[in-house]
Amino acid sequence: MRISELSERSGLPVQTIKFYIREGLLPRGVASAATRAEYDQTHLDRLRLIRALREVGNLPVAAIRRIVEAVEDPAVGLHDLFGTAQYALRPRVQAPEDDPDWGAARRDVDALIAELGWQVTERAPARDLLTQTFVALRRLDFTVTPDDLRPYVEAAVALAEHETGGLAEDASRARAVRGMLATVLYEQVLIALHRLAQEDASARHFGPS
Amino acid sequence: MRISELSERSGLPVQTIKFYIREGLLPRGVASAATRAEYDQTHLDRLRLIRALREVGNLPVAAIRRIVEAVEDPAVGLHDLFGTAQYALRPRVQAPEDDPDWGAARRDVDALIAELGWQVTERAPARDLLTQTFVALRRLDFTVTPDDLRPYVEAAVALAEHETGGLAEDASRARAVRGMLATVLYEQVLIALHRLAQEDASARHFGPS
DNA sequence: AACGATTGGATAGTACTACTATCCAAAGGG
DNA sequence: CCCTTTGGATAGTAGTACTATCCAATCGTT
């Protein structure tokens, strides 16, 4: 198919498709002449992947490029594939240098992870994300005790085990890619359901006005 | 204190503080002369609130304005206060008009919420967020069964109950404000812990390279 | 009283991201 | 043969959150 048909079938403007090609998210079509190139189902599938990661996963274009490069590189192992996707997730947090509050919170985060025995790299962005939240909570005079965290840890462990468990056997590359996708998309499911459950709980406890 | 001291103590540039005043996030200082105004602890507290909502909660400035207006308006009830914060959360999803996939997914979302018996308004943004995710999952050939959702629903219910339960008695306004804050900030705790637990599970199942 | 620094207030500019519009020459098709 | 489409390049736009500059009126100090 030509680019106009790809545009129709994907629902994306031709200009956007050209933009994705320029940015390295989508391979060029097979050129049949100087001004003619052929696209196929793989391009359509890729566009669906891009849109899911962009719209639902809220990933920046640069991160999606890194992900599709990792997917296409057979030398990248399954665990690294997960890591590439996970480390690309937003929000990205910039750790300040020379902030004593940050340093203290970061030590608490590292201690928590060590105590739980989790295998997480030192440079995992989620460490910074949690650190940032601890800092903000303390600045607002919330104390964060292990007891406060326990329900969240339990939920996180249960869900992560559930998500990864299904992929444990027969960890083919194709499955790994789908698992990575599920990781990104089901995080949004969790967020949405959590918000809905909160609204319900708030309605029951405080009553609608 | 003058604005320069407020700037020092909050760690924010004077220009940013002026910007927040212009945008209605921070009240003006008490003018003692044409070119002199006095700021106090309440301004510092407000700045901490603003930074927590902006950096950690990732809320847009316009949403923070709506929130602080609701906090300061005694006519706004506790449940509405929660709602104002929750409905301001990102990501905001724009429902397309005339998309059959969207319509079908939206009906599933509504049915799910009805079946769970949750009290959630028709216009809750989280409905659209969940709908969008369902659409993307299906376009990528993931089927989403009630069984797939159960672990997420269970986790969401447990956490929401835990979060709201602590506030049920003595629901003073000050507590409601803090509860609203906790809602926003603990969502990030959940996200961060979930990602960390996923990395750990991935490391254990697929091994680090 | 003089004077350099600070302040409040207004206006304009910047950085980043993700597109979106325009242009052009070279095919392709009826 | 000519009108449309295409690939490819370049430039422009929209939204968000700041950030920089300017100006005149003080303030504190001398």
Side-chain angles (χ1 to χ4, degrees):
Chain A
M1 70 184 94
R2 283 157 293 158
I3 200 171
S4 58
E5 190 181 345
L6 188 61
S7 165
E8 260 179 61
R9 293 227 253 161
S10 66
L12 293 171
V14 169
Q15 285 312 320
T16 302
I17 295 174
K18 287 182 172 185
F19 169 71
Y20 289 154
I21 293 173
R22 272 203 309 284
E23 293 294 314
L25 274 58
L26 184 70
R28 297 200 119 80
V30 178
S32 59
T35 66
R36 189 100 350 167
E38 191 68 13
Y39 299 86
D40 59 21
Q41 184 66 35
T42 66
H43 293 90
L44 202 48
D45 292 343
R46 173 62 62 84
L47 283 176
R48 277 201 261 267
L49 172 64
I50 293 169
R51 291 315 291 175
L53 293 176
R54 267 290 303 128
E55 287 182 3
V56 184
N58 189 33
L59 295 191
V61 164
I64 298 177
R65 178 175 50 236
R66 286 196 296 275
I67 289 176
V68 300
E69 281 169 359
V71 166
E72 283 175 352
D73 183 352
V76 174
L78 301 185
H79 181 57
D80 284 344
L81 204 51
F82 272 95
T84 303
Q86 240 216 352
Y87 287 14
L89 292 175
R90 281 170 168 173
R92 293 207 75 85
V93 172
Q94 187 64 30
E97 69 286 340
D98 295 339
D99 183 335
D101 291 349
W102 183 280
R106 175 60 193 241
R107 278 189 292 279
D108 290 345
V109 167
D110 292 344
L112 172 69
I113 291 171
E115 195 182 339
L116 290 166
W118 284 356
Q119 294 177 39
V120 173
T121 67
E122 200 64 37
R123 66 197 166 74
R127 284 184 194 255
D128 289 329
L129 183 55
L130 192 53
T131 301
Q132 182 198 43
T133 313
F134 279 8
V135 169
L137 283 165
R138 284 173 191 163
R139 291 217 173 115
L140 291 161
D141 300 321
F142 287 89
T143 56
V144 183
T145 67
D147 266 3
D148 294 323
L149 294 177
R150 186 172 307 135
Y152 297 90
V153 170
E154 282 172 6
V157 167
L159 292 177
E161 203 51 47
H162 167 78
E163 287 154 346
T164 318
L167 290 232
E169 319 297 321
D170 176 30
S172 70
R173 193 168 186 82
R175 287 213 173 197
V177 172
R178 290 180 69 74
M180 174 207 82
L181 259 170
T183 290
V184 174
L185 300 182
Y186 270 97
E187 177 173 296
Q188 300 300 315
V189 170
L190 173 60
I191 292 171
L193 286 173
H194 185 216
R195 289 180 188 172
L196 292 169
Q198 278 182 336
E199 182 171 336
D200 169 60
S202 166
R204 280 186 288 103
H205 285 300
F206 303 111
S209 68
Chain B
M1 70 184 92
R2 281 157 293 158
I3 200 171
S4 60
E5 190 181 346
L6 188 62
S7 165
E8 259 178 62
R9 293 227 253 161
S10 66
L12 293 171
V14 169
Q15 284 314 319
T16 302
I17 295 174
K18 287 182 172 186
F19 168 71
Y20 289 153
I21 294 173
R22 272 201 310 284
E23 293 294 313
L25 274 57
L26 183 70
R28 299 201 118 81
V30 178
S32 60
T35 65
R36 189 99 353 165
E38 191 67 14
Y39 299 86
D40 58 22
Q41 183 66 33
T42 66
H43 293 90
L44 202 48
D45 291 344
R46 173 62 62 84
L47 283 176
R48 278 202 261 267
L49 172 65
I50 292 169
R51 292 314 292 176
L53 294 176
R54 268 288 305 126
E55 288 183 3
V56 183
N58 189 34
L59 295 191
V61 164
I64 298 177
R65 178 174 49 236
R66 286 197 297 276
I67 289 177
V68 301
E69 280 168 0
V71 166
E72 283 175 353
D73 183 353
V76 175
L78 301 184
H79 181 55
D80 285 344
L81 204 51
F82 271 96
T84 303
Q86 240 215 352
Y87 287 13
L89 293 175
R90 281 170 168 171
R92 294 207 74 84
V93 172
Q94 188 64 30
E97 68 287 339
D98 295 337
D99 184 336
D101 291 350
W102 182 280
R106 176 59 194 242
R107 278 188 293 278
D108 290 345
V109 167
D110 291 344
L112 173 68
I113 291 170
E115 194 182 338
L116 290 166
W118 284 355
Q119 294 178 38
V120 172
T121 67
E122 201 64 37
R123 66 197 166 74
R127 284 183 193 255
D128 288 330
L129 183 56
L130 192 53
T131 301
Q132 182 197 42
T133 312
F134 279 8
V135 170
L137 283 164
R138 284 172 191 164
R139 290 217 173 116
L140 292 161
D141 301 322
F142 287 89
T143 56
V144 182
T145 66
D147 267 2
D148 294 323
L149 293 177
R150 186 171 308 135
Y152 297 90
V153 170
E154 282 171 6
V157 168
L159 292 177
E161 203 52 47
H162 167 78
E163 287 154 346
T164 318
L167 291 232
E169 319 297 320
D170 177 29
S172 69
R173 192 168 187 82
R175 287 214 173 196
V177 172
R178 290 180 68 76
M180 174 207 81
L181 259 171
T183 291
V184 174
L185 300 182
Y186 269 98
E187 178 174 296
Q188 300 300 317
V189 170
L190 173 61
I191 292 170
L193 287 173
H194 185 215
R195 288 180 188 173
L196 292 168
Q198 277 182 337
E199 181 171 337
D200 169 60
S202 166
R204 280 185 287 104
H205 284 300
F206 303 110
S209 67

